[in-house]
Amino acid sequence: CLGEGHQCHRRHPAVKLIRVALATLLAATTVSCSSAPATPSTATAPASRTITVLAAASLTEPVNALAKTFEQAHPGSTVRVSYGSSTTLVQQVVQGAPADLIALAGTDAVAQLPTAMTATHPPITFAENALEIATPANNPAQVSGLVDLARPDVKVVLCVGTAPCGKAADTALASAGVTAHIVSREIDAKATLAKLRLGEADAGLIYHSDVVAAAGAVTGIPLPSRYAVSVTYALVQLTDNPGVAELAQALTDATAKAAYRAAGFGQ
C-alpha cells in the first residue's frame, strides 16, 4: 500500500488462491474433454438379398431345412423356394420365370433346359430317389405288390405321366406287365401322397422319401429289384447373383447329402 488515503493495489492472498484453483480446474477440464473416448460408429448391417430357388416337390422337407440353415449362417439373406413338378418348373424357367437355382428330379427334366442355361454352370447331381408302392397306413386293400394294382377293387393314384414320378411309375408297371386300376393322376409326388394320406386311394407309386416324410401316415412297400426304378436329382445354377454360388454349394455338399439321406434319399 502507499499509505493512508491511497487505494491499496496489493493482491489479497485469498484472491490469488482462487485464481490458481480456477486455472487448475480449467486445465483439468480441458484434459478431460480432449481425452474423452470417441463415440463408437454404428456397425453396418449386412446387405439384404433374396435368392430364388425352384425345386422338385419331393425335395420339400430337406431343402426347406437346408435353406433355413443357410439363412441363419448368412444374415441378410432370404431363400425363397417354390416347389412343383420338375417338368412344370422347367417350363416356367424357359418362359422367363425368375430363378437363381433350379433343382430337378430326373435326367429328362434337366435335358429340357436350354443349353445356354447349363453351359456356364453344368448340372450338379446330388441325390437319387427310389420309387415304391405306398398305401394308407392300415393298407385297407391288402396290397402287397405291383400285381395287386391291377385289381378292380384297388383304387390307384399316380403322378401325371409328364412328371418324373409319373414316368417312373409307368416304367415300373410296364416292366411288370401290370395295367393298374388308376382312378387319379396328380400333378406331382406331394399331391399323389396327399391322396393316400386322405384315404382317397388304396395304393400309389411314389418316392421313398415321400413315405419317410409322411411319418407313418402311409405304408411303403419296396419294389422287387427287377422292377426297381429310381430317379436322380440335379441342381443347376442359373445366375451369378450375390450368394447364389454359396447356396448352390450348401444344397449339394457333404452336409446337404447327409440331410438328403436322412430324408429318405440315396446317393
Side-chain angles (χ1 to χ4, degrees):
C1 290
L2 299 178
E4 187 176 354
H6 292 273
Q7 187 176 3
C8 180
H9 295 286
R10 181 179 298 174
R11 293 189 180 117
H12 193 282
V15 175
K16 183 176 181 180
L17 288 174
I18 291 173
R19 289 185 177 181
V20 170
L22 287 174
T24 302
L25 178 61
L26 179 60
T29 302
T30 301
V31 171
S32 175
C33 290
S34 62
S35 62
T39 302
S41 59
T42 304
T44 303
S48 176
R49 60 192 179 193
T50 298
I51 304 173
T52 302
V53 181
L54 302 182
S58 51
L59 291 168
T60 299
E61 288 77 19
V63 168
N64 276 349
L66 291 168
K68 182 176 181 180
T69 299
F70 181 85
E71 289 176 338
Q72 292 172 342
H74 298 78
S77 294
T78 299
V79 180
R80 180 180 299 155
V81 189
S82 294
Y83 297 99
S85 166
S86 293
T87 304
T88 301
L89 298 178
V90 169
Q91 292 173 349
Q92 291 174 351
V93 167
V94 171
Q95 293 170 2
D100 297 300
L101 295 167
I102 186 167
L104 301 170
T107 55
D108 288 348
V110 176
Q112 293 172 23
L113 288 171
T115 304
M117 291 186 175
T118 58
T120 304
H121 301 288
I124 304 170
T125 300
F126 62 89
E128 66 179 22
N129 217 344
L131 194 73
E132 67 184 43
I133 299 170
T135 72
N138 59 351
N139 194 1
Q142 297 300 299
V143 173
S144 60
L146 285 172
V147 67
D148 292 319
L149 304 188
R151 286 165 35 196
D153 62 316
V154 176
K155 295 180 290 185
V156 178
V157 60
L158 304 177
C159 298
V160 293
T162 55
C165 50
K167 291 180 181 179
D170 289 339
T171 298
L173 291 169
S175 297
V178 172
T179 300
H181 180 220
I182 302 170
V183 297
S184 175
R185 298 200 74 140
E186 303 300 318
I187 189 63
D188 57 36
K190 291 301 184 187
T192 304
L193 173 63
K195 287 283 187 177
L196 295 168
R197 293 178 66 121
L198 294 171
E200 296 179 4
D202 298 309
L205 286 167
I206 58 176
Y207 298 126
H208 176 64
S209 66
D210 293 313
V211 174
V212 173
V218 300
T219 297
I221 304 169
L223 298 181
S225 58
R226 63 186 181 278
Y227 304 135
V229 180
S230 62
V231 299
T232 58
Y233 290 76
L235 181 78
V236 179
Q237 181 178 333
L238 301 175
T239 74
D240 288 308
N241 292 335
V244 175
E246 290 85 349
L247 179 57
Q249 180 178 2
L251 293 175
T252 58
D253 63 13
T255 299
K257 289 180 179 179
Y260 295 126
R261 285 194 295 272
F265 294 78
Q267 262 88 44

